[in-house]
């Protein structure tokens, strides 16, 4: 089984967010970047398939050279090799089309990704990728087994879980539950040393025009001052007269 894991290079959630160029670009100065957490769950599941079923695991990212430390971390966790598509990830459709070319050229039969990235929270790339490839697709996956070309999966739905069966080739967008948080792996020194020698191939993007563009970014309005009340009657009065929610 040849597995491709899509890796997004995202800011750490503790980063302070600022914008430049009249609020049209994200300011990366001083920002620590990490593997997108949802992608990390899927990567860990891919490692399980590698160790238990002999799968090969390739990681891929669409981004410039600054994203390579994130790919190296994925290699240190245990992926066999990495591919970087040398382009700015301008929008979801652009990324999906770049990834589709990688899948077609690499002959991958299982593509794992996170259900969304934590920077833009678009949640659109895995579904677009499956559509472009005409692969089966399961979103929000919280459980997965593969036997031969058959896959058994579960995903969250309102009020419960849904069990599904399908076949490869397949695109899966995973989240916590596809592995548990305690099973995520921290690269050890041996893994970090080995990652330096693993292949990280850089490929040029296919010619695709971005379908969208960013007009501007805007921060949420700052939270108002906290008002303390001494009793329930005062609280009800404020909710009625000021907040106007009752």
């Amino acid at each position: 089984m040849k597995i491709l894991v899509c890796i997004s290079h995202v800011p750490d959630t503790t980063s302070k967010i600022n914008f430049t160029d009249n609020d049209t670009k994200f300011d990366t100065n001083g920002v620590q970047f990490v593997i997108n957490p949802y992608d990390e769950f899927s990567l860990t599941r891919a490692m399980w398939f590698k160790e238990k079923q002999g799968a090969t695991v390739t990681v891929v990212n669409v981004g410039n050279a600054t994203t390579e430390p994130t790919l190296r971390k994925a290699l240190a966790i245990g992926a066999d090799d990495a591919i970087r598509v040398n382009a700015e990830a301008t929008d979801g459709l652009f990324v999906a089309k770049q990834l589709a070319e990688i899948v077609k050229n690499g002959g991958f039969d299982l593509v794992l990704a996170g259900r969304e990235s934590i920077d833009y929270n678009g949640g659109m790339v895995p579904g677009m990728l499956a559509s472009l490839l005409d692969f089966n697709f399961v979103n929000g996956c919280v459980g997965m087994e593969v036997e031969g070309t058959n896959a058994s999966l579960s995903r969250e739905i309102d009020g419960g879980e849904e069990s599904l069966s399908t076949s490869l080739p397949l695109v899966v967008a995973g989240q916590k539950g596809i592995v548990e948080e305690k099973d995520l792996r921290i690269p050890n020194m041996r893994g970090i040393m080995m990652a330096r020698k693993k292949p990280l191939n850089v490929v040029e993007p296919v010619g695709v025009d971005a379908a969208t563009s960013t007009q501007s970014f805007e921060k949420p309005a700052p939270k108002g001052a906290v008002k303390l009340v001494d009793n329930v009657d005062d609280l009800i009065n404020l909710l009625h007269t000021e907040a106007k929610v009752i």
Side-chain angles (χ1 to χ4, degrees):
M1 182 162 55
K2 292 188 66 174
I3 302 175
L4 182 71
V5 183
C6 306
I7 300 291
S8 290
H9 172 80
V10 299
D12 188 286
T13 52
T14 60
S15 301
K16 291 185 178 179
I17 301 303
N18 291 299
F19 306 111
T20 62
D21 294 3
N22 199 26
D23 292 336
T24 59
K25 292 184 179 179
F26 174 57
D27 184 3
T28 59
N29 289 321
V31 175
Q32 179 73 31
F33 284 84
V34 298
I35 297 175
N36 180 47
Y38 293 115
D39 300 344
E40 196 168 355
F41 284 115
S42 290
L43 174 61
T44 304
R45 190 60 182 168
M47 295 311 306
W48 190 93
F49 287 126
K50 175 183 176 180
E51 294 164 0
K52 304 294 184 183
Q53 298 181 207
T56 62
V57 178
T58 299
V59 290
V60 62
N61 166 260
V62 179
N64 58 34
T66 63
T67 69
E68 290 193 3
T70 296
L71 286 174
R72 288 291 179 193
K73 181 181 178 183
L75 292 172
I77 288 172
D80 297 296
D81 61 337
I83 300 170
R84 179 172 67 83
V85 180
N86 188 29
E88 293 286 345
T90 49
D91 68 9
L93 182 59
F94 176 85
V95 171
K97 288 186 175 180
Q98 303 304 326
L99 295 175
E101 286 300 307
I102 298 297
V103 175
K104 291 175 185 174
N105 294 332
F108 297 98
D109 41 22
L110 176 60
V111 181
L112 297 174
R115 72 174 190 188
E116 61 183 345
S117 62
I118 63 166
D119 49 2
Y120 292 100
N121 300 102
M124 62 182 77
V125 171
M128 288 180 173
L129 178 59
S131 178
L132 291 168
L133 295 167
D134 197 24
F135 281 14
N136 297 319
F137 174 53
V138 175
N139 196 24
C141 182
V142 295
M144 180 179 186
E145 301 290 343
V146 177
E147 190 67 38
T149 59
N150 299 315
S152 301
L153 308 102
S154 55
R155 64 180 174 187
E156 283 190 350
I157 59 173
D158 288 343
E161 288 188 8
E162 180 182 28
S163 298
L164 309 105
S165 61
T166 185
S167 58
L168 305 183
L170 174 66
V171 176
V172 173
Q175 61 182 53
K176 182 181 178 181
I178 195 169
V179 297
E180 295 300 324
E181 200 164 357
K182 63 181 175 57
D183 296 323
L184 297 176
R185 303 178 182 194
I186 299 173
N188 56 30
M189 184 55 66
R190 183 171 181 272
I192 294 171
M193 297 299 290
M194 291 179 65
R196 296 177 180 176
K197 300 179 181 178
K198 291 181 178 178
L200 195 164
N201 300 308
V202 179
V203 301
E204 294 303 316
V206 294
V208 177
D209 292 330
T212 61
S213 62
T214 301
Q215 293 185 329
S216 67
F217 293 101
E218 183 178 351
K219 291 183 179 181
K223 293 182 179 178
V226 174
K227 181 176 289 187
L228 299 177
V229 295
D230 295 325
N231 55 66
V232 174
D233 290 339
D234 288 347
L235 175 61
I236 293 174
N237 181 54
L238 289 172
L239 290 173
H240 180 67
T241 59
E242 292 191 12
K244 301 184 185 303
V245 295
I246 59 175

